[in-house]
Amino acid sequence: MGANSFPQDVARGLFEGNPLAGLIEGFCLTLDAGGDLEAGPVVHVQLRPGVTLSAVEADQLAKACQQGVQRQLDTHDADFVPHPEQGPAANDLAIAVHPHRSGPFADPTSIRDGYLLRGDY
């Protein structure tokens, strides 16, 4: 994500126009270090309590979220405009779907209006 990308932009992308947005409890952001010494953004999405998704349904939610966030960033963030010299994966955005209170959300006291987390999830 670019320097001018904000959590509010990600939130708009996750929720606006997403027919599956009602399944989402919240989100947080992390950076995932790739094998090429580059760090890429990961949007971790927490499902609402009691929501259980099959692998196919989770993939559909992840794709809907990815498309919405990508659309939001492409529209409002000049830093996120694709750069051909960096290759097609330069602006890849990963979405990880987690059941309620799992992954980075396992400790409910660890996220308090903090959008960027450090560590492996």
Side-chain angles (χ1 to χ4, degrees):
M1 287 188 199
N4 294 322
S5 300
F6 296 97
Q8 294 82 354
D9 296 324
V10 175
R12 280 190 213 99
L14 290 174
F15 293 101
E16 288 181 5
N18 183 349
L20 302 173
L23 302 174
I24 301 171
E25 173 78 7
F27 73 96
C28 67
L29 308 173
T30 62
L31 293 174
D32 182 30
D36 55 0
L37 300 178
E38 295 288 329
V42 179
V43 179
H44 295 270
V45 174
Q46 176 179 214
L47 297 175
R48 291 191 180 278
V51 173
T52 303
L53 300 180
S54 69
V56 171
E57 293 167 328
D59 187 55
Q60 290 171 340
L61 176 60
K63 285 180 182 175
C65 290
Q66 184 179 40
Q67 291 169 354
V69 172
Q70 187 75 49
R71 184 175 47 252
Q72 180 70 25
L73 294 175
D74 288 347
T75 303
H76 299 288
D77 187 355
D79 285 350
F80 208 72
V81 174
H83 299 284
E85 65 275 6
Q86 293 178 336
N91 287 348
D92 279 354
L93 180 67
I95 305 288
V97 177
H98 301 277
H100 188 71
R101 293 209 174 152
S102 69
F105 308 99
D107 179 4
T109 62
S110 68
I111 301 176
R112 297 182 59 83
D113 294 333
Y115 295 103
L116 181 62
L117 300 180
R118 298 183 193 279
D120 295 326
Y121 297 99

